[in-house]
Amino acid sequence: MARMAGRRTLFAGPVLLVVTFGVFAVAELSPFDPVKAYAGTAGLTAPQAELDRLAANLGVDQPLTARWWEWLTSALTGDLGTSAVMRQPVADVIGERLGWSALLALSAFAVALLLGTGLGVLAARRQGGLLDRAVSALAYTLEAAPAFWLGLLAIWFFSVRLGVLPSGGLTDAGSDVVTAGQVARHLVLPALVLGLSQLPWFFLYVRQGVADALEEDPVRGARARGVGERRVLLGHGLRSGMLPMLTLIGSRVPELITGALLVETVFSWPGIAAATVQAATSVDFPLLAALTVLATAAVLAGNLLSDLLYGLADPRVGFDG
Amino acid sequence: MRARTIRGPVGATAAAALITGLAACSGPTGGTASAGPDSAVVGIANEPETLSPLLGYGKDGNSKIFDGLLAHDADMKLKPALAEALPEVSADGLTYTYRLRQGVKFSDGQPFGAKDVVFTYRTILHEKTNNASKSELDAIAGVEAQGEDAVVFRLKYPYAPFAERTVLPIAPEHIAGGQDVNSGDFAAKPIGTGPYVLTAWSKGEKLSFKANPSYWGGEPAVKKFTMAVIKDDDVRATRLRSGELDGAILPPNLAGAFKDDGARRTWTAKTFDYRNVTMPTGNEVTGDVAVRRALDLAVDRGAMVDKLLEGAGKAAYGPVPTGSPWFAPGTERTYDLAAARKILDEAGWVPGDDGIRAKKGLRATFPLWHTSGDKIRQDHALAFASDARKAGIEVKIESGSWEVIEPRMKTDAVLAGGGSPADPDFDQYLTLHSSLAGDGFNNMARYDNKTVDRALVDGRRSGDPAARKAAYDTVQRELVKNPGYIYLTHIDHLYVVNDKWDGPSTQVEPHDHGLGSGPWWNIENWKPKQN
């Protein structure tokens, strides 16, 4: 197990290297112009000579490999460079925003995991029952509904209609101190929306997994021996039904990141996702590269986590090493 | 895992219907703003990249954190700010002397002085400074302090609207001078002499300000001011309705919903913000003066204002809106399809079988690009194409990002926008002078008209207001004879604000509305309403 973790970690280095180079190469090929993005509306009236000088100052007139090498070597010494689009050091951009994104993603993950598992087990117990049909229908609807639309719906219902929850931002718009109470209140809607958008996957997997497990011989045997329904469900059904879901946990990480992107935009949540979009469309190399490393690391860690969990939950599954 | 038939679809449809039905039955209750009258929260669409004047923030005035040497009043007339009076201009128009207001302090308590002015301008003009607007200060040859209380600008050439450029904010040398101008934290933690002090900037979320108690113009009555960054129009309208915002900028259709709201007031700012179609000289069809003149008469500007802008705008006959003192009376054109057809007939453009004209084998057709995702531009492009079709000219609408459009600007038409109210030179020289043809995004149509070139130079160099007026009249009349662009509309900017203050008003606004625009341009003068 430790060997698997170690092996994967060693493997992560080259993967990250290739991914960052890929990002630079793709950005180079993209039609977006970093100088124009930097200049914004002022760029529409600036003479060409001015734009050329800006390109030189920003270092974007360098060839692809030179830019990548320079970024890499300074990143390894701890200097992540300056974000052109945010006009501040990349480390500051990430430092200011990453925590808020992590808070949102983890809360949403908890919502999706707990609700999805709970409802999945209940639905599997009486497949075809009223609860199963209602929740399954809802799950398919949620799967089809864009997170953006869910967000607007939630704002309309909870903020405008009922007036019970704030509709956006990290704290009340008029307040400039960040208190835990305010953040908690402002977190409810975005976390709920992001969580709900992830819910169908967990629910459907658990429902299917548990239902299948309940059909297996050991469970039939246990039932025949008179073991209580509760123990059958939690002890046998859930345990083997959880297996496919554990793999899912890790593989949902990329989805969670893209989902967070839309949700953060709707709720003006000052996280890293919004910065990612800006970095990409502005061809902001230093910020884009750092964010890509982060996202890739998150995905690799997610995969490792699900493999480890899988191995722990079912001793029959070996670790790949 | 066994395959299992999905029982969901029927139920899913029912649930979806339930949810959408829920969304459809509207009628949200109007809330009142949570904050008191001494605090204001407004929703804005775009966040600034930087708050450093050295990198371009606040260059057109109305920065709440900083002051310029001069500022604009409600009528866009220049008034003294950090200068104690309007500048003394030498007879040859080459030297501008500003006497500075005494006793002004930055919000950190340090005194403001001539060295800060010199530092600000020199830093902006420095070639390593990444300020994309520095060409606006191109006329400056040098700037020097004259003692402690005066600053002198020497110009390379007489530039009549120069004083308009000195509304740009002054940065403190003792803070900004000690760090990298392009990446230092001054851009995020600015210190200025202005009526408000930045207390927090949560990027992507909001900017928070508090009143500057030692502001030289007196402490503002609105003690707390917040600008919430909300990109999506619908979300902004929703948050305004829920009472979280005291005001917001909104597109006409969303602003319309607040018209009968007794607690809120809708503000319509007149603008110089035009939408036009470039007629590139590099294209044989749009390069033909007859085609240009015909299209100029064939477009139904009134219908565009009524239908596309829901009345919130004006027909545009040139870069200058009809209500401005710079407008050349008599250049208004009425919609006249018959006249347009006659011009084309006389020029030899003969209608073909499909109604599209041709001249010596050349079909009267050209592409028109608009930026994707911009609904107002798309609507204008479609309306323009439909009007052109009636005159026998085929316009093919295409959309893309600026990166896609730029390489095609030489031969393809573009639905463009622009406009600057401070001085006619700012917009017209860049879009019309032949020396700037195809230079960046300047003079996109590559318009080349010697009479216009001469008038534009006269207009920027002459210090005599009457001569300047005559020059810009000439430009507008030439545009009637040979339109390099078909100007369509000037677009009003709409704002909805809670009606609990005395003081909100609107200025004439430019195309690019930064943080300085909106009824809160003068928030430092707002007072809570006495009831």
Side-chain angles (χ1 to χ4, degrees):
Chain A
M1 188 173 162
R3 273 176 60 197
M4 176 170 100
R7 190 181 301 244
R8 294 280 191 92
T9 314
L10 276 180
F11 186 59
V15 169
L16 288 175
L17 215 58
V18 171
V19 167
T20 56
F21 188 78
V23 167
F24 273 67
V26 169
E28 175 87 4
L29 288 174
S30 85
F32 294 116
D33 181 348
V35 176
K36 227 156 266 144
Y38 183 91
T41 39
L44 296 177
T45 52
Q48 193 58 46
E50 200 54 60
L51 296 175
D52 292 344
R53 187 159 55 199
L54 210 50
N57 283 357
L58 294 172
V60 294
D61 53 350
Q62 302 285 315
L64 165 66
T65 42
R67 254 186 290 174
W68 178 69
W69 184 248
E70 195 182 297
W71 174 80
L72 187 68
T73 45
S74 57
L76 288 176
T77 62
D79 175 13
L80 293 176
T82 302
S83 160
V85 64
M86 301 287 168
R87 265 59 157 192
Q88 67 184 125
V90 170
D92 290 2
V93 176
I94 294 176
E96 277 172 16
R97 292 164 174 261
L98 188 62
W100 299 126
S101 278
L103 179 66
L104 174 62
L106 287 176
S107 316
F109 211 67
V111 168
L113 192 67
L114 295 178
L115 261 168
T117 313
L119 290 172
V121 171
L122 289 178
R125 200 178 62 160
R126 287 205 46 202
Q127 280 205 316
L130 188 65
L131 179 92
D132 181 29
R133 281 193 314 214
V135 180
S136 297
L138 190 66
Y140 287 118
T141 313
L142 283 176
E143 207 180 325
F148 190 80
W149 182 79
L150 280 179
L152 286 179
L153 189 67
I155 291 180
W156 171 79
F157 190 69
F158 291 103
S159 304
V160 180
R161 190 89 192 153
L162 301 181
V164 289
L165 285 168
S167 60
L170 186 64
T171 52
D172 296 340
S175 149
D176 43 336
V177 282
V178 179
T179 61
Q182 279 199 16
V183 173
R185 263 166 49 78
H186 282 253
L187 180 64
V188 174
L189 282 187
L192 207 61
V193 167
L194 186 57
L196 282 180
S197 72
Q198 299 296 311
L199 175 78
W201 301 91
F202 292 103
F203 167 75
L204 294 170
Y205 264 73
V206 170
R207 172 178 171 274
Q208 191 68 56
V210 172
D212 286 346
L214 289 179
E215 303 269 306
E216 281 169 8
D217 288 343
V219 173
R220 287 166 192 266
R223 275 198 175 134
R225 289 196 307 276
V227 176
E229 187 61 24
R230 197 186 160 85
R231 244 187 92 195
V232 168
L233 199 63
L234 296 179
H236 297 272
L238 188 58
R239 182 152 176 158
S240 58
M242 282 290 278
L243 284 180
M245 207 193 69
L246 291 178
T247 329
L248 195 65
I249 291 183
S251 66
R252 296 316 294 166
V253 170
E255 274 282 333
L256 198 65
I257 293 173
T258 44
L261 212 103
L262 293 172
V263 171
E264 284 186 7
T265 311
V266 177
F267 291 96
S268 301
W269 188 258
I272 205 86
T276 310
V277 181
Q278 259 182 300
T281 54
S282 319
V283 204
D284 184 349
F285 286 100
L287 183 57
L288 197 57
L291 291 175
T292 313
V293 168
L294 268 180
T296 314
V299 172
L300 291 176
N303 284 338
L304 178 64
L305 180 74
S306 58
D307 287 352
L308 290 176
L309 285 176
Y310 202 94
L312 285 176
D314 188 348
R316 288 170 302 173
V317 180
F319 296 105
D320 64 353
Chain B
M1 204 182 284
R2 278 182 301 137
R4 179 177 281 274
T5 50
I6 298 168
R7 297 184 194 201
V10 177
T13 320
L18 192 75
I19 295 177
T20 45
L22 206 68
C25 67
S26 66
T29 51
T32 47
S34 49
D38 66 347
S39 80
V41 183
V42 301
I44 54 171
N46 298 306
E47 185 174 34
E49 291 87 10
T50 174
L51 291 177
S52 168
L54 304 171
L55 297 177
Y57 165 67
K59 68 186 179 64
D60 298 316
N62 288 347
S63 150
K64 294 300 113 188
I65 311 167
F66 297 95
D67 295 298
L69 290 171
L70 304 180
H72 289 121
D73 66 10
D75 300 322
M76 289 299 286
K77 289 218 169 57
L78 287 172
K79 61 175 185 183
L82 287 179
E84 63 177 20
L86 296 180
E88 295 154 27
V89 187
S90 65
D92 60 3
L94 287 171
T95 312
Y96 281 66
T97 307
Y98 290 81
R99 308 234 151 259
L100 303 184
R101 191 179 293 276
Q102 294 302 295
V104 175
K105 285 189 164 63
F106 285 102
S107 60
D108 65 348
Q110 295 295 308
F112 153 81
K115 64 177 179 31
D116 298 303
V117 179
V118 173
F119 163 77
T120 299
Y121 282 87
R122 284 192 183 159
T123 307
I124 291 174
L125 288 167
H126 195 277
E127 64 169 34
K128 285 289 174 200
T129 302
N130 295 338
N131 182 327
S133 309
K134 75 172 75 170
S135 59
E136 294 184 351
L137 301 178
D138 179 61
I140 298 179
V143 49
E144 271 124 40
Q146 200 174 65
E148 283 294 296
D149 58 352
V151 172
V152 181
F153 292 88
R154 282 178 299 99
L155 305 190
K156 295 176 199 158
Y157 46 85
Y159 186 53
F162 177 71
E164 288 284 349
R165 293 298 191 202
T166 57
V167 299
L168 80 78
I170 302 302
E173 184 184 23
H174 67 273
I175 292 171
Q179 47 179 270
D180 182 336
V181 59
N182 295 321
S183 61
D185 72 354
F186 174 66
K189 298 186 174 67
I191 300 286
T193 57
Y196 285 88
V197 179
L198 184 80
T199 49
W201 182 11
S202 167
K203 285 199 182 173
E205 190 201 356
K206 68 188 169 195
L207 298 109
S208 312
F209 304 91
K210 71 169 168 68
N212 178 358
S214 54
Y215 181 50
W216 57 268
E219 186 181 4
V222 176
K223 302 291 180 215
K224 265 177 65 114
F225 180 44
T226 308
M227 291 176 147
V229 182
I230 306 161
K231 289 207 171 70
D232 187 84
D233 292 334
D234 291 302
V235 176
R236 215 178 311 116
T238 303
R239 291 181 67 176
L240 179 65
R241 194 170 283 285
S242 77
E244 279 179 77
L245 303 177
D246 295 301
I249 178 165
L250 292 175
N253 57 338
L254 291 173
F258 292 93
K259 205 180 292 166
D260 300 322
D261 188 329
R264 296 186 178 91
R265 195 170 157 187
T266 303
W267 292 90
T268 304
K270 294 291 160 204
T271 72
F272 268 55
D273 184 6
Y274 60 70
R275 293 294 176 279
N276 64 5
V277 176
T278 65
M279 293 279 114
T281 47
N283 181 309
E284 284 184 87
V285 177
T286 54
D288 185 331
V289 175
V291 171
R292 299 161 171 231
R293 286 185 51 218
L295 285 173
D296 199 31
L297 294 174
V299 290
D300 190 349
R301 298 174 169 93
M304 291 185 188
V305 172
D306 292 342
K307 301 210 175 94
L308 309 186
L309 305 178
E310 303 188 21
K314 269 197 251 175
Y317 304 102
V320 182
T322 45
S324 163
W326 290 105
F327 182 73
T331 57
E332 301 92 338
R333 273 91 75 201
T334 43
Y335 170 60
D336 192 344
L337 188 57
R341 286 183 174 140
K342 190 156 168 268
I343 292 172
L344 290 169
D345 287 340
E346 283 169 1
W349 290 93
V350 188
D353 297 338
D354 57 352
I356 304 303
R357 292 167 188 267
K359 180 180 180 178
K360 294 177 192 150
L362 178 66
R363 216 172 122 81
T365 175
F366 62 91
L368 169 60
W369 289 84
H370 67 83
T371 39
S372 37
D374 187 331
K375 187 167 180 304
I376 285 190
R377 290 191 193 210
Q378 182 183 357
D379 289 348
H380 276 82
L382 291 170
F384 178 79
S386 143
D387 288 346
R389 183 74 179 70
K390 289 179 198 149
I393 295 171
E394 182 188 37
V395 178
K396 294 189 208 123
I397 307 291
E398 313 248 22
S399 78
S401 66
W402 281 117
E403 283 80 4
V404 176
I405 298 172
E406 192 191 1
R408 297 173 165 88
M409 291 190 317
K410 191 173 178 188
T411 54
D412 294 7
V414 179
L415 205 297
S420 176
D423 194 277
D425 173 76
F426 293 173
D427 174 69
Q428 295 184 28
Y429 192 85
L430 298 178
T431 52
L432 295 169
H433 200 277
S434 64
S435 68
L436 295 177
D439 181 355
F441 282 83
N442 294 324
N443 194 351
M444 282 159 74
R446 290 162 164 78
Y447 189 62
D448 187 353
N449 180 329
K450 293 290 164 268
T451 315
V452 168
D453 281 356
R454 253 193 317 276
L456 289 171
V457 173
D458 290 348
R460 69 166 25 187
R461 298 207 165 191
S462 171
D464 173 17
R468 298 197 73 208
K469 168 80 174 123
Y472 292 111
D473 281 0
T474 304
V475 173
Q476 291 170 67
R477 294 216 179 83
E478 278 299 310
L479 281 174
V480 179
K481 291 188 219 156
N482 176 12
Y485 301 78
I486 312 294
Y487 291 86
L488 304 175
T489 58
H490 278 106
I491 294 174
D492 292 345
H493 297 159
L494 298 184
Y495 302 87
V496 177
V497 184
N498 279 346
D499 197 14
K500 58 180 187 181
W501 292 281
D502 287 320
S505 65
T506 55
Q507 285 178 312
V508 180
E509 296 188 356
H511 169 60
D512 170 29
H513 37 292
L515 294 189
S517 297
W520 40 87
W521 72 275
N522 64 344
I523 185 154
E524 64 271 23
N525 297 334
W526 289 14
K527 300 273 182 289
K529 253 188 184 160
Q530 308 293 329
N531 293 332

